[in-house]
Amino acid sequence: MLNPAMNLKLQAYAEILKRIVNTEYQPGQRISEKELSQDLNIGRTPIREAVLQLRQEGLINVIPQSGTYITKIDLQVAISARFIRESIETRIVKEAAALNNPAYIKNLNTIIANQKFFSHQKEFEKFFGEDEAFHREFYLMTNHQQVWEWLQTTNMQLNRFRMLRLKVKELAWENLISEHAKILKAVETHDPDEAERLIANHLHLMLDEKDTLLRTFPEYFTNVPSKK
């Protein structure tokens, strides 16, 4: 059981992380422990501990004689995380397609229905949550939940990119839903090769869309690979 002080630190960490990922705290924005404490209505000590953890994870940066800032999205780190995710998830989904588990298929259909609803409502945080749930379900289905948890430690910059993508009008949410439906159909009909192909294409979207995000939010990124 968590002690109250630890619980407050976890609450502070989770809330600040959520606000960084959804760009409520924008990349490059200056912040302070006092402001965070007021925003979250949590004491300075748990805020300080949460900020320290987020610094260690590369989401907050302290510049001496300048201040504390939300880091910009490290595009190279996000691209590398995408590579790791694709390398693992193609195998996960291919394995899932060889299984027969109606309960997980039902869950996945429910998730897609939720995505359609949140897409119509333009609730991007809830839509993103269902997007995460869709992918996570395959790890649960194949008994690889621990792998999913490990990936979360490398996915933070990638998730910031993915959340920001939902704010670009020309990148329709419906395309993501359509691709999810095709992946699910391949898994449901036990077509491992097609499932593997579809998830690989789906996870390649970041590379296809990154230039659009860079044009739309140029001030949000750092470590942008130079074009050759």
Side-chain angles (χ1 to χ4, degrees):
M1 182 176 179
L2 294 175
N3 64 54
M6 177 59 74
N7 191 37
L8 282 175
K9 181 257 184 177
L10 292 175
Q11 288 180 38
Y13 170 82
E15 184 61 27
I16 297 169
L17 175 61
K18 184 186 79 171
R19 295 185 185 201
I20 291 173
V21 172
N22 70 20
T23 66
E24 183 175 344
Y25 294 153
Q26 297 179 359
Q29 178 181 336
R30 185 173 179 174
I31 59 171
S32 71
E33 290 180 5
K34 180 180 179 180
E35 291 168 340
L36 292 173
S37 180
Q38 292 172 343
D39 282 351
L40 277 59
N41 195 27
I42 295 176
R44 294 283 288 274
T45 297
I47 291 290
R48 188 175 301 114
E49 292 171 347
V51 167
L52 177 60
Q53 183 173 345
L54 290 160
R55 284 181 63 189
Q56 293 169 342
E57 293 170 350
L59 297 174
I60 286 178
N61 187 28
V62 176
I63 301 176
Q65 284 77 53
S66 177
T68 301
Y69 298 85
I70 305 299
T71 61
K72 295 189 177 185
I73 299 171
D74 190 316
L75 186 60
Q76 190 59 62
V77 170
I79 289 171
S80 295
R82 186 218 66 86
F83 175 79
I84 294 170
R85 177 92 174 256
E86 181 183 342
S87 300
I88 294 172
E89 201 158 314
T90 48
R91 296 183 63 181
I92 294 287
V93 172
K94 186 173 184 178
E95 184 178 333
L99 301 176
N100 183 20
N101 195 317
Y104 284 102
I105 298 300
K106 181 179 179 180
N107 291 344
L108 286 159
N109 275 302
T110 298
I111 289 168
I112 290 177
N114 290 342
Q115 281 195 294
K116 290 178 180 177
F117 175 79
F118 292 132
S119 174
H120 293 149
Q121 298 297 315
K122 296 300 179 184
E123 295 192 44
F124 73 94
E125 286 186 45
K126 293 180 179 179
F127 182 93
F128 181 80
E130 294 298 325
D131 189 289
E132 284 285 271
F134 179 84
H135 290 271
R136 179 174 178 265
E137 200 70 18
F138 293 113
Y139 291 79
L140 298 177
M141 187 176 180
T142 56
N143 198 30
H144 291 305
Q145 181 176 357
Q146 185 65 65
V147 177
W148 173 262
E149 299 299 332
W150 286 336
L151 282 174
Q152 300 319 297
T153 64
T154 64
N155 276 351
M156 290 184 179
Q157 298 294 345
L158 175 59
N159 285 346
R160 296 176 76 190
F161 179 99
R162 291 170 56 222
M163 180 68 87
L164 194 60
R165 181 251 187 235
L166 298 178
K167 297 187 175 184
V168 180
K169 291 183 179 179
E170 61 193 275
L171 300 176
W173 297 11
E174 288 75 13
N175 292 344
L176 301 177
I177 299 172
S178 175
E179 292 195 359
H180 282 179
K182 291 175 183 177
I183 293 165
L184 176 54
K185 182 178 180 180
V187 170
E188 190 173 9
T189 57
H190 308 299
D191 190 341
D193 291 338
E194 178 67 357
E196 181 183 32
R197 183 186 71 80
L198 289 168
I199 192 65
N201 289 342
H202 181 63
L203 294 174
H204 196 272
L205 273 178
M206 179 206 174
L207 300 180
D208 299 332
E209 297 174 345
K210 66 179 176 63
D211 288 344
T212 300
L213 264 72
L214 288 171
R215 286 196 305 271
T216 308
F217 302 104
E219 71 280 9
Y220 282 3
F221 292 90
T222 188
N223 202 10
V224 178
S226 59
K227 294 183 178 180
K228 295 181 180 179

